[in-house]
Amino acid sequence: MSSDSSSTPTPSPAAISPAWERVQRARHPKRPHAQDYIERLLTGFQELHGDRLFGDDAAIIGGMGFFEGEPVMIVAEQKGRDTKQKLHRNFGMPKPEGYRKAIRLMELAAKFRRPVITLMDTPGAYPGIDAEERGQAEAIARNLREMSRLQVPVIAVCIGEGGSGGALALGVANKVYMFENAVYSVISPESCAAIIWRDSTKAELAATALRLTAEDLLKLGLIDGIIPEPTGGAHEDYDGSAAALRASLKQSLKDLASFTPAQLVKQRYDKFRQMGNFFA
């Protein structure tokens, strides 16, 4: 008797975990980058360059422009689109001069009482020897300290990947938001899997364990809100994504407008002191 092959069930591919799916969307090659949002949100944008110490880091862009008719300073991590751009932007991984440029621009904004908007999108700070020689850890630490002291409204948005201290160096803000398909974590899933299981192919398992999605971080009280994306992801509709970001920024600036400089600093300090506190 011949067997009926049609009666044999075909194994279905393993379902992708929701967290790993978010990681893949956050890394989508056509996902909007910082410049795409700046072009759609700001008018009269003037990019400023250099850290006044070593050089200019193309992985971080920043400058002044007008948002809804009001002057703001925007500082953002920028990835490249094609190979040439990726090399120029160092794959979105800033070096010390990038972080020093960022804090220079933020302090300039504070001097002229301009709100600061940061856009986080990096797999992490550049780990090369040259970056370490020029004080990578010190540059990030200084940003954390100085951002906590800025006497102007600071709003941070994770638009794609929020990798470790490389992103956190732009993330000490009064309001912190994430796009729906963005991820924000202390380490990449691949690196986590390589450390915990000695196997980077278990990145999907690590992504779930890291709780790096916007929903996870909102539940943990680490972010203030989630910015919705168009159906299919931000890469499907740049204008729609920018419109959602505009609405969140507009509301946040309105909420913070009544705060005094001292209140802004205190609110930011109290916000981050509460993170990870399970005994309050």
Side-chain angles (χ1 to χ4, degrees):
M1 180 182 295
S2 61
S3 61
D4 184 2
S5 59
S6 62
S7 64
T8 303
T10 302
S12 59
I16 299 176
S17 72
W20 185 240
E21 183 180 1
R22 292 294 173 86
V23 171
Q24 292 181 319
R25 288 192 178 188
R27 295 172 175 174
H28 195 285
K30 293 185 179 180
R31 189 173 180 83
H33 293 161
Q35 282 188 326
D36 299 310
Y37 289 116
I38 291 173
E39 291 171 1
R40 288 165 173 77
L41 296 176
L42 301 187
T43 57
F45 175 69
Q46 293 292 322
E47 186 175 355
L48 302 174
H49 298 272
D51 67 343
R52 302 299 187 266
L53 290 171
F54 180 82
D56 187 48
D57 186 353
I60 287 186
I61 59 175
M64 284 194 176
F66 292 89
F67 175 76
E68 298 289 305
E70 297 296 327
V72 299
M73 178 71 78
I74 190 161
V75 180
E77 287 158 331
Q78 174 69 23
K79 293 180 176 179
R81 191 72 65 189
D82 56 30
T83 301
K84 183 177 179 180
Q85 289 180 0
K86 288 177 180 179
L87 291 172
H88 176 61
R89 302 291 180 185
N90 200 36
F91 298 87
M93 296 185 291
K95 296 182 179 182
E97 49 271 23
Y99 294 116
R100 291 176 179 134
K101 172 171 68 172
I103 200 62
R104 180 178 77 83
L105 299 188
M106 293 183 209
E107 290 175 339
L108 182 64
K111 179 179 179 179
F112 293 103
R113 300 296 182 192
R114 304 290 190 252
V116 173
I117 298 169
T118 69
L119 303 180
M120 300 176 286
D121 189 16
T122 179
Y126 181 64
I129 293 176
D130 59 327
E132 295 297 332
E133 290 175 339
R134 293 197 297 276
Q136 183 73 291
E138 184 274 340
I140 292 173
R142 181 169 177 266
N143 274 35
L144 302 181
R145 183 188 68 187
E146 297 304 322
M147 283 191 76
S148 70
R149 300 174 177 178
L150 292 174
Q151 296 188 353
V152 293
V154 183
I155 303 169
V157 183
C158 182
I159 63 174
E161 285 188 279
S164 191
L168 188 59
L170 301 187
V172 184
N174 298 99
K175 297 284 188 178
V176 181
Y177 295 97
M178 287 178 66
F179 268 93
E180 181 181 351
N181 290 312
V183 293
Y184 196 9
S185 175
V186 68
I187 193 172
S188 71
E190 292 86 353
S191 297
C192 176
I195 292 171
I196 302 299
W197 295 288
R198 298 288 191 267
D199 184 358
S200 62
T201 63
K202 293 185 177 180
E204 182 175 347
L205 181 61
T208 301
L210 285 168
R211 301 180 70 180
L212 42 62
T213 68
E215 290 85 354
D216 288 331
L217 272 67
L218 185 62
K219 290 177 183 177
L220 292 170
L222 301 179
I223 63 172
D224 297 290
I226 300 172
I227 300 174
E229 296 186 21
T231 302
H235 60 280
E236 296 287 351
D237 184 355
Y238 284 24
D239 291 337
S241 299
L245 176 55
R246 179 185 294 276
S248 293
L249 293 177
K250 186 176 180 179
Q251 184 61 51
S252 294
L253 289 171
K254 181 180 179 181
D255 294 342
L256 297 171
S258 61
F259 284 53
T260 66
Q263 288 173 333
L264 287 168
V265 173
K266 185 177 187 303
Q267 187 268 355
R268 203 179 304 131
Y269 178 84
D270 291 344
K271 173 186 179 66
F272 280 83
R273 286 289 293 177
Q274 285 297 314
M275 292 183 182
N277 182 358
F278 300 100
F279 302 100

